[in-house]
Amino acid sequence: MFIDIPSELEAALIDLPLPTWELDGSFLAKSTMERYRTELTATPQFEDTAATLRHTLTREGGGYAVLRLGNLAKALGTGDRFRRLVTGFAAEVAVPFSPLPRWPLWKDIGVKVDKDPGKSSGIGYNAFHMDLVNASLPPDYTTLLCVRADPLGGGLSILSDAHAAVARLSEDCRALLAESAYHYGTFFDLFGVGEEYSPFPILDGSGPGEGFVRFTAKMLDRSELSGAHAEAARRLAEELVQGQVSFTLQPGDYLTVNQRRFLHGRQALHSGQETILPADRRLLLQLFLRAAAGDGPAA
């Protein structure tokens, strides 16, 4: 769902200089969150907009939202002042944090033509996945702020309702996905995401439609899985593609994904990226969110 910012709120936010944030370890400090909330809730229609955002992310059938902040990005640029405003919106959903101490709160995802094409910073198809799939406590939300779209017109964002895809599978297939038989990637120097979870079940919930769907399509090519378990994962991958939605993020668009509901990815960037100066290529900023204890996203 796309959420437009009321013009009255836009005008107020342009004139609202929020203070620099502080961190408590890798998490946005509670004092910063309280200060941002005090400042932002004093602006007209902010609370209604934030409530719409939260409802869209957790309601039945929901799970992702795009805040259209393009006018604010044009007025303020996409530097620190704009990012503080976006961080304030993020903090209305859950606690912003960085799982890697060496990363800043907002991590750049640029375009590198010499990278693995399937990586987030590559130029190829980035298949459906959840972030930090092999962590015992993966981020409840993953968010992406578009600074620059692909100037050649590629790189559509793709999302798919993971539980809806699972529901279309056979009972035998779901039983295989619920077994702790899957693994992917490495795990080191991470903060705030629990411990390494390997092997793990793809269906990591107490019942149908609950919990995380711990899936990354990359496990099909890069992890050794038994024949039956690999086939079940392939069928899930096919259902995710069958049910996907896609759209192009424009500068200032802020995508938030409830990882307990939706998986995300990206279509390939348009060919010819090597002809574009690195400073002009697509640029996203990523921020993770942790729901407060006992206040996780609806499953």
Side-chain angles (χ1 to χ4, degrees):
M1 177 177 174
F2 288 79
I3 301 174
D4 291 314
I5 304 300
S7 57
E8 188 178 5
L9 176 57
E10 282 184 339
L13 293 177
I14 288 172
D15 295 327
L16 185 70
L18 294 177
T20 301
W21 63 65
E22 295 182 359
L23 298 181
D24 182 2
S26 288
F27 288 81
L28 189 67
K30 182 178 179 181
S31 59
T32 296
M33 293 182 63
E34 291 174 345
R35 176 71 182 276
Y36 282 10
R37 173 149 245 281
T38 298
E39 297 283 349
L40 289 167
T41 54
T43 59
Q45 302 185 61
F46 174 81
E47 288 190 283
D48 288 343
T49 303
T52 298
L53 173 60
R54 290 190 296 267
H55 178 68
T56 302
L57 293 168
T58 58
R59 64 176 171 79
E60 186 69 28
Y64 75 92
V66 179
L67 276 177
R68 310 304 299 264
L69 304 174
N71 289 338
L72 287 168
K74 290 178 182 177
L76 299 174
T78 54
D80 289 345
R81 188 174 172 191
F82 177 66
R83 295 179 195 185
R84 290 172 201 165
L85 287 174
V86 183
T87 304
F89 274 105
E92 289 295 307
V93 174
V95 183
F97 79 106
S98 171
L100 277 171
R102 65 179 180 272
W103 287 356
L105 188 63
W106 288 92
K107 175 179 177 284
D108 286 9
I109 301 179
V111 175
K112 299 179 181 179
V113 296
D114 57 345
K115 282 282 189 179
D116 177 343
K119 294 281 190 180
S120 59
S121 58
I123 63 175
Y125 176 64
N126 186 221
F128 280 113
H129 63 281
M130 70 170 289
D131 289 323
L132 295 172
V133 65
N134 61 336
S136 60
L137 294 172
D140 295 294
Y141 299 91
T142 185
T143 79
L144 294 167
L145 174 63
C146 180
V147 175
R148 290 189 302 271
D150 178 3
L152 298 178
L156 274 71
S157 296
I158 55 174
L159 296 107
S160 193
D161 185 329
H163 290 290
V166 168
R168 296 193 293 269
L169 298 172
S170 69
E171 184 175 344
D172 288 346
C173 191
R174 292 196 296 270
L176 287 165
L177 295 175
E179 295 179 4
S180 294
Y182 298 89
H183 53 96
Y184 175 76
T186 58
F187 189 95
F188 62 94
D189 197 23
L190 294 174
F191 181 88
V193 293
E195 301 175 349
E196 183 174 12
Y197 194 8
S198 181
F200 54 80
I202 288 179
L203 302 187
D204 191 16
S206 58
E210 298 180 352
F212 291 108
V213 176
R214 291 179 174 270
F215 180 78
T216 172
K218 294 174 184 176
M219 70 171 63
L220 297 173
D221 299 323
R222 305 183 186 185
S223 298
E224 294 183 2
L225 306 175
S226 71
H229 291 102
E231 180 59 26
R234 286 191 190 94
R235 292 182 182 179
L236 174 56
E238 292 169 356
E239 288 298 334
L240 289 166
V241 173
Q242 185 69 26
Q244 79 178 32
V245 295
S246 61
F247 47 81
T248 300
L249 291 175
Q250 300 297 332
D253 283 351
Y254 181 44
L255 168 65
T256 302
V257 181
N258 180 342
Q259 291 217 113
R260 295 177 185 269
R261 290 176 175 266
F262 272 73
L263 300 179
H264 67 286
R266 183 205 66 226
Q267 297 284 9
L269 300 177
H270 198 283
S271 60
Q273 293 297 315
E274 67 280 357
T275 67
I276 303 172
L277 293 173
D280 295 331
R281 294 172 186 160
R282 184 179 192 257
L283 176 61
L284 303 181
L285 303 177
Q286 186 170 41
L287 174 68
F288 295 109
L289 307 180
R290 165 71 66 220
D295 189 32

